[in-house]
Amino acid sequence: MSRACAHNVLELASPRVALVDDREEALIRACDLLGDLPLTVDPMLLREPRTLNSVLDEILGRGCTALISDHRLRHHARVGFDGAELVYRANERKLPAVLYSAHVEDDEATSIREWRYRIPRVVQKGPHSVEAIPEALQTAAAEVAGRRALERRGFLTPVRVVDVHRDGYPTVDVTVTAWKPDTVVTIPLTRLPATHQSASSSLIGTVFLGKVNFYAESEAELFFHDLELAPDPPADWNTE
Amino acid sequence: MTEVQSGLRPAGRTAVDTAEAVILDVGHGNCAVLRDGVRCVIVDAKSDKLLYQELIDSGICRIEHLVLSHADSDHIAGALRLLPNEDFDIGTVWINSDSNKDSLKWHELLGLLARLKRDGRLRTRVGICDEQDWDLSLERVLIDVLHPTLTDIGHGTGKAGRVRPEITTNGMSVVLRVLLDGHPALLLPGDLDAAALEQMLSRSKAMTAHVLVYPHHGGHSGDGPENEFAKQLCEAVQPEVVVFSMGRGSFKNPLPEAVAEIRSSRAGTRVACTQLSPNCHAGEPPTAQPLHLLGRPAAGLTGNRCCAGTVRVTAVDGALLVEPRPEDHLTWIEQHVRAPMCNPKVRLPGPRKP
């Protein structure tokens, strides 16, 4: 992946974009939808178990300069990762990547938020979704190049646990005063430090400090990164 | 600054060698930027986004001091979002403890400060009082702490006891007197209440200033008569301009009796509200474009709620200049505001109960 590609993925005449899904019919449909865009779509059907790194290596080996991935990949492909993690790791490896899912609302607080820190854009599949893809890819390319919009920048801020959910995907409800003090946000329990992932009700009231993009407009955009227990004031609090 | 942030206007002014005081229109709350070149002192931080924009536009990269006058949300809320922003170097954050304060914002701000201090991002000073000398000053912006006293912060907020007086959160407000290029330019009293004012008046420290940012957004100063509070305050400060940093919201500030007292006891003194008070213009605000406003960030720009908007004070040719210019501001008021309390011809509504 060259730096130039990362800066502006659509500047090329017809950038090669990998499109990953685990269902053939969905992949064909997505290819059709994206066919109107000035992209060369390189479909990649995941049929069998394989590692995330091997998928990324293959995408890069094909000469793709960007990635669009479905989120729910585990069912048909029986891989050990979701599209959200694939997109996260791709962006981490400087391959601009966008998550493209029909189940955004179902997964955004759990398996998507788990990886949201490096998912610049999540595009909901639908009749008009294709219109959002170019801007999403541009945003991803900008982030890969180190340019995050204010709404995507994480700032250290207090995160307070107000409820714990043990059933299904373990989650906690939190409030972020610096975002919207009265709005409860659900995050995966695994976003908390490893020492605090017991899903015990004793977590309620605990304040953590971590990076949150509190300039984001919507709850769906929020990420929670590097949370750790908020410290008590130090002994030398009153000294310079 | 690493980049121009989306959602904000691009930088419109370049960093110049300016000493100025900017009283941001943040709605109901306070925020003043006292600037000397690319460094500044910020007093209170109701809003972070307007403040952020102001700092970007002014080319300020170093916040030498952030003074939080007291622990109320309309003075500290923006600090929670501003302090972790690494676009700015931050020197020292100054606060006073408040045993009366049990708000989430205050509690979380203390935790954040502890962590940022641990990370070496800033220093903290808990305990700001009138024995601070000129520690907050920049070269051309001198800042004197007039209140509270060392005894006050020793006692802390709380009810009156056998020997201690009652000190409210508002009464613990840090009061600053600011000199711009040697001119007594501003008095920033936070939410100073009547009891604290009385105590200040008993000490013979100079309080005079060209611009008084009226305490508590023009709201109640305690249980006593507001005209008496306004009279005492104005006699001590002798302001030429009184700014009410207020919002066009449910509080209906400033209190008419406070404005009336300023008008009667300080004839000729300019009254400038950052936003258009509902006491002056009920219902929908005027739709006419407010050409008198400074091109600075202001909360009231949304929904045409500005009256004076953001106010700027500078020293020019040996005198203090307060903008928006009074003639432009008054023209707009005369043309568009139904019953401006600042206009001597207007009959004011009666006092409002606390």
Side-chain angles (χ1 to χ4, degrees), chain B residues 256 259 263 276-282 333-349:
Chain B
V259 178
R263 270 174 30 179
L276 183 57
S277 170
N279 295 330
C280 301
H281 192 102
I333 288 171
E334 284 171 2
Q335 289 176 350
H336 302 293
V337 181
R338 292 189 197 114
M341 292 193 294
C342 56
N343 183 340
K345 296 172 193 163
V346 171
R347 184 184 169 85
L348 294 170

PDB file of all heavy atoms in Angstrom, chain B residues 256 259 263 276-282 333-349:
ATOM      1  N   PRO B 256     -34.325  42.990  35.814  1.00  0.00           N
ATOM      2  CA  PRO B 256     -34.618  44.395  35.470  1.00  0.00           C
ATOM      3  C   PRO B 256     -34.153  45.371  36.543  1.00  0.00           C
ATOM      4  O   PRO B 256     -33.661  46.459  36.227  1.00  0.00           O
ATOM      5  CB  PRO B 256     -36.145  44.403  35.340  1.00  0.00           C
ATOM      6  CG  PRO B 256     -36.507  42.994  34.989  1.00  0.00           C
ATOM      7  CD  PRO B 256     -35.521  42.146  35.721  1.00  0.00           C
ATOM      8  N   VAL B 259     -30.498  46.195  36.120  1.00  0.00           N
ATOM      9  CA  VAL B 259     -30.272  47.107  34.991  1.00  0.00           C
ATOM     10  C   VAL B 259     -30.746  48.507  35.352  1.00  0.00           C
ATOM     11  O   VAL B 259     -30.072  49.507  35.065  1.00  0.00           O
ATOM     12  CB  VAL B 259     -30.991  46.590  33.723  1.00  0.00           C
ATOM     13  CG1 VAL B 259     -30.793  47.561  32.566  1.00  0.00           C
ATOM     14  CG2 VAL B 259     -30.477  45.208  33.340  1.00  0.00           C
ATOM     15  N   ARG B 263     -28.583  51.957  35.384  1.00  0.00           N
ATOM     16  CA  ARG B 263     -29.016  53.130  34.610  1.00  0.00           C
ATOM     17  C   ARG B 263     -29.131  54.370  35.487  1.00  0.00           C
ATOM     18  O   ARG B 263     -28.756  55.465  35.081  1.00  0.00           O
ATOM     19  CB  ARG B 263     -30.360  52.841  33.940  1.00  0.00           C
ATOM     20  CG  ARG B 263     -30.223  52.236  32.575  1.00  0.00           C
ATOM     21  CD  ARG B 263     -31.536  51.812  31.966  1.00  0.00           C
ATOM     22  NE  ARG B 263     -32.702  52.598  32.384  1.00  0.00           N
ATOM     23  CZ  ARG B 263     -33.931  52.383  31.943  1.00  0.00           C
ATOM     24  NH1 ARG B 263     -34.145  51.428  31.057  1.00  0.00           N
ATOM     25  NH2 ARG B 263     -34.933  53.103  32.355  1.00  0.00           N
ATOM     26  N   LEU B 276     -29.770  38.495  23.497  1.00  0.00           N
ATOM     27  CA  LEU B 276     -30.949  39.341  23.603  1.00  0.00           C
ATOM     28  C   LEU B 276     -31.854  38.811  24.711  1.00  0.00           C
ATOM     29  O   LEU B 276     -32.404  37.708  24.612  1.00  0.00           O
ATOM     30  CB  LEU B 276     -31.687  39.336  22.259  1.00  0.00           C
ATOM     31  CG  LEU B 276     -32.925  40.207  22.129  1.00  0.00           C
ATOM     32  CD1 LEU B 276     -32.616  41.668  22.439  1.00  0.00           C
ATOM     33  CD2 LEU B 276     -33.504  40.077  20.719  1.00  0.00           C
ATOM     34  N   SER B 277     -31.999  39.615  25.760  1.00  0.00           N
ATOM     35  CA  SER B 277     -32.795  39.162  26.898  1.00  0.00           C
ATOM     36  C   SER B 277     -34.275  39.080  26.518  1.00  0.00           C
ATOM     37  O   SER B 277     -34.801  39.968  25.846  1.00  0.00           O
ATOM     38  CB  SER B 277     -32.628  40.131  28.062  1.00  0.00           C
ATOM     39  OG  SER B 277     -33.557  39.826  29.070  1.00  0.00           O
ATOM     40  N   PRO B 278     -34.965  38.038  26.989  1.00  0.00           N
ATOM     41  CA  PRO B 278     -36.415  37.989  26.765  1.00  0.00           C
ATOM     42  C   PRO B 278     -37.142  39.123  27.481  1.00  0.00           C
ATOM     43  O   PRO B 278     -38.271  39.456  27.131  1.00  0.00           O
ATOM     44  CB  PRO B 278     -36.824  36.619  27.316  1.00  0.00           C
ATOM     45  CG  PRO B 278     -35.679  36.134  28.121  1.00  0.00           C
ATOM     46  CD  PRO B 278     -34.450  36.846  27.660  1.00  0.00           C
ATOM     47  N   ASN B 279     -36.471  39.738  28.463  1.00  0.00           N
ATOM     48  CA  ASN B 279     -37.075  40.911  29.113  1.00  0.00           C
ATOM     49  C   ASN B 279     -37.116  42.100  28.153  1.00  0.00           C
ATOM     50  O   ASN B 279     -37.915  43.016  28.324  1.00  0.00           O
ATOM     51  CB  ASN B 279     -36.264  41.316  30.343  1.00  0.00           C
ATOM     52  CG  ASN B 279     -36.294  40.266  31.423  1.00  0.00           C
ATOM     53  OD1 ASN B 279     -37.276  39.524  31.541  1.00  0.00           O
ATOM     54  ND2 ASN B 279     -35.229  40.175  32.202  1.00  0.00           N
ATOM     55  N   CYS B 280     -36.260  42.106  27.177  1.00  0.00           N
ATOM     56  CA  CYS B 280     -36.193  43.210  26.212  1.00  0.00           C
ATOM     57  C   CYS B 280     -36.999  42.902  24.948  1.00  0.00           C
ATOM     58  O   CYS B 280     -37.500  43.796  24.281  1.00  0.00           O
ATOM     59  CB  CYS B 280     -34.750  43.462  25.788  1.00  0.00           C
ATOM     60  SG  CYS B 280     -33.641  43.875  27.136  1.00  0.00           S
ATOM     61  N   HIS B 281     -37.087  41.622  24.630  1.00  0.00           N
ATOM     62  CA  HIS B 281     -37.711  41.251  23.358  1.00  0.00           C
ATOM     63  C   HIS B 281     -38.260  39.832  23.514  1.00  0.00           C
ATOM     64  O   HIS B 281     -37.534  38.851  23.310  1.00  0.00           O
ATOM     65  CB  HIS B 281     -36.667  41.323  22.239  1.00  0.00           C
ATOM     66  CG  HIS B 281     -37.253  41.252  20.858  1.00  0.00           C
ATOM     67  ND1 HIS B 281     -37.420  42.360  20.066  1.00  0.00           N
ATOM     68  CD2 HIS B 281     -37.712  40.200  20.136  1.00  0.00           C
ATOM     69  CE1 HIS B 281     -37.938  42.000  18.900  1.00  0.00           C
ATOM     70  NE2 HIS B 281     -38.133  40.689  18.923  1.00  0.00           N
ATOM     71  N   ALA B 282     -39.529  39.766  23.889  1.00  0.00           N
ATOM     72  CA  ALA B 282     -40.140  38.450  24.075  1.00  0.00           C
ATOM     73  C   ALA B 282     -40.456  37.832  22.712  1.00  0.00           C
ATOM     74  O   ALA B 282     -40.483  38.523  21.696  1.00  0.00           O
ATOM     75  CB  ALA B 282     -41.406  38.586  24.899  1.00  0.00           C
ATOM     76  N   ILE B 333     -30.102  47.935  18.227  1.00  0.00           N
ATOM     77  CA  ILE B 333     -31.097  47.800  19.304  1.00  0.00           C
ATOM     78  C   ILE B 333     -32.309  48.678  18.998  1.00  0.00           C
ATOM     79  O   ILE B 333     -33.469  48.245  19.088  1.00  0.00           O
ATOM     80  CB  ILE B 333     -30.467  48.176  20.665  1.00  0.00           C
ATOM     81  CG1 ILE B 333     -29.487  47.083  21.111  1.00  0.00           C
ATOM     82  CG2 ILE B 333     -31.543  48.389  21.723  1.00  0.00           C
ATOM     83  CD1 ILE B 333     -28.657  47.454  22.324  1.00  0.00           C
ATOM     84  N   GLU B 334     -32.039  49.928  18.637  1.00  0.00           N
ATOM     85  CA  GLU B 334     -33.148  50.864  18.384  1.00  0.00           C
ATOM     86  C   GLU B 334     -34.027  50.397  17.230  1.00  0.00           C
ATOM     87  O   GLU B 334     -35.237  50.586  17.235  1.00  0.00           O
ATOM     88  CB  GLU B 334     -32.583  52.257  18.091  1.00  0.00           C
ATOM     89  CG  GLU B 334     -32.096  52.954  19.351  1.00  0.00           C
ATOM     90  CD  GLU B 334     -31.338  54.235  19.046  1.00  0.00           C
ATOM     91  OE1 GLU B 334     -31.222  54.605  17.867  1.00  0.00           O
ATOM     92  OE2 GLU B 334     -30.852  54.839  20.013  1.00  0.00           O
ATOM     93  N   GLN B 335     -33.402  49.762  16.263  1.00  0.00           N
ATOM     94  CA  GLN B 335     -34.167  49.345  15.076  1.00  0.00           C
ATOM     95  C   GLN B 335     -34.926  48.042  15.278  1.00  0.00           C
ATOM     96  O   GLN B 335     -35.954  47.820  14.647  1.00  0.00           O
ATOM     97  CB  GLN B 335     -33.216  49.194  13.884  1.00  0.00           C
ATOM     98  CG  GLN B 335     -32.699  50.522  13.368  1.00  0.00           C
ATOM     99  CD  GLN B 335     -31.679  50.346  12.249  1.00  0.00           C
ATOM    100  OE1 GLN B 335     -31.214  49.230  11.972  1.00  0.00           O
ATOM    101  NE2 GLN B 335     -31.316  51.440  11.620  1.00  0.00           N
ATOM    102  N   HIS B 336     -34.418  47.173  16.153  1.00  0.00           N
ATOM    103  CA  HIS B 336     -34.961  45.806  16.159  1.00  0.00           C
ATOM    104  C   HIS B 336     -35.463  45.289  17.499  1.00  0.00           C
ATOM    105  O   HIS B 336     -36.169  44.287  17.532  1.00  0.00           O
ATOM    106  CB  HIS B 336     -33.895  44.833  15.630  1.00  0.00           C
ATOM    107  CG  HIS B 336     -33.420  45.167  14.254  1.00  0.00           C
ATOM    108  ND1 HIS B 336     -34.244  45.074  13.145  1.00  0.00           N
ATOM    109  CD2 HIS B 336     -32.229  45.619  13.808  1.00  0.00           C
ATOM    110  CE1 HIS B 336     -33.558  45.446  12.068  1.00  0.00           C
ATOM    111  NE2 HIS B 336     -32.347  45.785  12.443  1.00  0.00           N
ATOM    112  N   VAL B 337     -35.120  45.951  18.598  1.00  0.00           N
ATOM    113  CA  VAL B 337     -35.492  45.402  19.907  1.00  0.00           C
ATOM    114  C   VAL B 337     -36.693  46.180  20.460  1.00  0.00           C
ATOM    115  O   VAL B 337     -36.671  47.407  20.498  1.00  0.00           O
ATOM    116  CB  VAL B 337     -34.300  45.460  20.890  1.00  0.00           C
ATOM    117  CG1 VAL B 337     -34.693  44.860  22.240  1.00  0.00           C
ATOM    118  CG2 VAL B 337     -33.111  44.710  20.299  1.00  0.00           C
ATOM    119  N   ARG B 338     -37.712  45.436  20.875  1.00  0.00           N
ATOM    120  CA  ARG B 338     -38.984  46.073  21.240  1.00  0.00           C
ATOM    121  C   ARG B 338     -38.880  46.945  22.487  1.00  0.00           C
ATOM    122  O   ARG B 338     -39.337  48.069  22.511  1.00  0.00           O
ATOM    123  CB  ARG B 338     -40.050  44.993  21.477  1.00  0.00           C
ATOM    124  CG  ARG B 338     -40.436  44.253  20.206  1.00  0.00           C
ATOM    125  CD  ARG B 338     -41.637  43.346  20.445  1.00  0.00           C
ATOM    126  NE  ARG B 338     -41.740  42.372  19.362  1.00  0.00           N
ATOM    127  CZ  ARG B 338     -41.577  41.071  19.505  1.00  0.00           C
ATOM    128  NH1 ARG B 338     -41.336  40.560  20.698  1.00  0.00           N
ATOM    129  NH2 ARG B 338     -41.674  40.265  18.466  1.00  0.00           N
ATOM    130  N   ALA B 339     -38.302  46.424  23.550  1.00  0.00           N
ATOM    131  CA  ALA B 339     -38.271  47.164  24.818  1.00  0.00           C
ATOM    132  C   ALA B 339     -36.911  47.003  25.480  1.00  0.00           C
ATOM    133  O   ALA B 339     -36.792  46.359  26.527  1.00  0.00           O
ATOM    134  CB  ALA B 339     -39.371  46.665  25.740  1.00  0.00           C
ATOM    135  N   PRO B 340     -35.887  47.587  24.908  1.00  0.00           N
ATOM    136  CA  PRO B 340     -34.531  47.368  25.434  1.00  0.00           C
ATOM    137  C   PRO B 340     -34.354  47.974  26.826  1.00  0.00           C
ATOM    138  O   PRO B 340     -34.523  49.177  27.004  1.00  0.00           O
ATOM    139  CB  PRO B 340     -33.632  48.059  24.406  1.00  0.00           C
ATOM    140  CG  PRO B 340     -34.501  49.043  23.709  1.00  0.00           C
ATOM    141  CD  PRO B 340     -35.895  48.488  23.735  1.00  0.00           C
ATOM    142  N   MET B 341     -34.019  47.144  27.779  1.00  0.00           N
ATOM    143  CA  MET B 341     -33.852  47.630  29.154  1.00  0.00           C
ATOM    144  C   MET B 341     -32.699  48.615  29.264  1.00  0.00           C
ATOM    145  O   MET B 341     -32.663  49.429  30.167  1.00  0.00           O
ATOM    146  CB  MET B 341     -33.605  46.446  30.098  1.00  0.00           C
ATOM    147  CG  MET B 341     -34.801  45.537  30.258  1.00  0.00           C
ATOM    148  SD  MET B 341     -34.599  44.386  31.644  1.00  0.00           S
ATOM    149  CE  MET B 341     -33.234  43.380  31.070  1.00  0.00           C
ATOM    150  N   CYS B 342     -31.740  48.511  28.343  1.00  0.00           N
ATOM    151  CA  CYS B 342     -30.584  49.404  28.412  1.00  0.00           C
ATOM    152  C   CYS B 342     -30.908  50.802  27.904  1.00  0.00           C
ATOM    153  O   CYS B 342     -30.104  51.713  28.053  1.00  0.00           O
ATOM    154  CB  CYS B 342     -29.419  48.808  27.623  1.00  0.00           C
ATOM    155  SG  CYS B 342     -29.819  48.445  25.903  1.00  0.00           S
ATOM    156  N   ASN B 343     -32.085  50.974  27.307  1.00  0.00           N
ATOM    157  CA  ASN B 343     -32.481  52.283  26.778  1.00  0.00           C
ATOM    158  C   ASN B 343     -33.201  53.056  27.875  1.00  0.00           C
ATOM    159  O   ASN B 343     -34.230  52.622  28.383  1.00  0.00           O
ATOM    160  CB  ASN B 343     -33.408  52.086  25.576  1.00  0.00           C
ATOM    161  CG  ASN B 343     -33.799  53.399  24.929  1.00  0.00           C
ATOM    162  OD1 ASN B 343     -33.710  54.467  25.555  1.00  0.00           O
ATOM    163  ND2 ASN B 343     -34.228  53.322  23.688  1.00  0.00           N
ATOM    164  N   PRO B 344     -32.690  54.241  28.250  1.00  0.00           N
ATOM    165  CA  PRO B 344     -33.291  55.003  29.347  1.00  0.00           C
ATOM    166  C   PRO B 344     -34.759  55.352  29.115  1.00  0.00           C
ATOM    167  O   PRO B 344     -35.486  55.624  30.066  1.00  0.00           O
ATOM    168  CB  PRO B 344     -32.439  56.271  29.403  1.00  0.00           C
ATOM    169  CG  PRO B 344     -31.174  55.933  28.703  1.00  0.00           C
ATOM    170  CD  PRO B 344     -31.510  54.887  27.690  1.00  0.00           C
ATOM    171  N   LYS B 345     -35.192  55.368  27.868  1.00  0.00           N
ATOM    172  CA  LYS B 345     -36.589  55.752  27.603  1.00  0.00           C
ATOM    173  C   LYS B 345     -37.559  54.614  27.913  1.00  0.00           C
ATOM    174  O   LYS B 345     -38.768  54.813  27.976  1.00  0.00           O
ATOM    175  CB  LYS B 345     -36.744  56.129  26.121  1.00  0.00           C
ATOM    176  CG  LYS B 345     -35.954  57.348  25.717  1.00  0.00           C
ATOM    177  CD  LYS B 345     -36.024  57.527  24.192  1.00  0.00           C
ATOM    178  CE  LYS B 345     -34.991  58.552  23.746  1.00  0.00           C
ATOM    179  NZ  LYS B 345     -34.735  58.477  22.300  1.00  0.00           N
ATOM    180  N   VAL B 346     -37.034  53.445  28.071  1.00  0.00           N
ATOM    181  CA  VAL B 346     -37.920  52.290  28.245  1.00  0.00           C
ATOM    182  C   VAL B 346     -38.273  52.100  29.706  1.00  0.00           C
ATOM    183  O   VAL B 346     -37.419  52.147  30.593  1.00  0.00           O
ATOM    184  CB  VAL B 346     -37.238  51.016  27.693  1.00  0.00           C
ATOM    185  CG1 VAL B 346     -38.033  49.772  28.063  1.00  0.00           C
ATOM    186  CG2 VAL B 346     -37.108  51.126  26.179  1.00  0.00           C
ATOM    187  N   ARG B 347     -39.560  51.874  29.955  1.00  0.00           N
ATOM    188  CA  ARG B 347     -40.023  51.603  31.317  1.00  0.00           C
ATOM    189  C   ARG B 347     -39.726  50.139  31.634  1.00  0.00           C
ATOM    190  O   ARG B 347     -40.110  49.243  30.881  1.00  0.00           O
ATOM    191  CB  ARG B 347     -41.528  51.866  31.387  1.00  0.00           C
ATOM    192  CG  ARG B 347     -42.124  51.709  32.754  1.00  0.00           C
ATOM    193  CD  ARG B 347     -43.645  51.911  32.663  1.00  0.00           C
ATOM    194  NE  ARG B 347     -44.304  51.512  33.890  1.00  0.00           N
ATOM    195  CZ  ARG B 347     -44.432  52.304  34.933  1.00  0.00           C
ATOM    196  NH1 ARG B 347     -43.969  53.527  34.894  1.00  0.00           N
ATOM    197  NH2 ARG B 347     -45.048  51.871  36.030  1.00  0.00           N
ATOM    198  N   LEU B 348     -39.060  49.918  32.762  1.00  0.00           N
ATOM    199  CA  LEU B 348     -38.618  48.571  33.088  1.00  0.00           C
ATOM    200  C   LEU B 348     -39.674  47.785  33.852  1.00  0.00           C
ATOM    201  O   LEU B 348     -40.433  48.372  34.631  1.00  0.00           O
ATOM    202  CB  LEU B 348     -37.339  48.631  33.932  1.00  0.00           C
ATOM    203  CG  LEU B 348     -36.119  49.188  33.216  1.00  0.00           C
ATOM    204  CD1 LEU B 348     -34.992  49.418  34.202  1.00  0.00           C
ATOM    205  CD2 LEU B 348     -35.669  48.240  32.129  1.00  0.00           C
ATOM    206  N   PRO B 349     -39.703  46.471  33.653  1.00  0.00           N
ATOM    207  CA  PRO B 349     -40.609  45.647  34.457  1.00  0.00           C
ATOM    208  C   PRO B 349     -40.164  45.631  35.919  1.00  0.00           C
ATOM    209  O   PRO B 349     -39.021  45.973  36.236  1.00  0.00           O
ATOM    210  CB  PRO B 349     -40.479  44.252  33.829  1.00  0.00           C
ATOM    211  CG  PRO B 349     -39.228  44.260  33.053  1.00  0.00           C
ATOM    212  CD  PRO B 349     -38.951  45.682  32.690  1.00  0.00           C
TER     213      PRO B 349
END
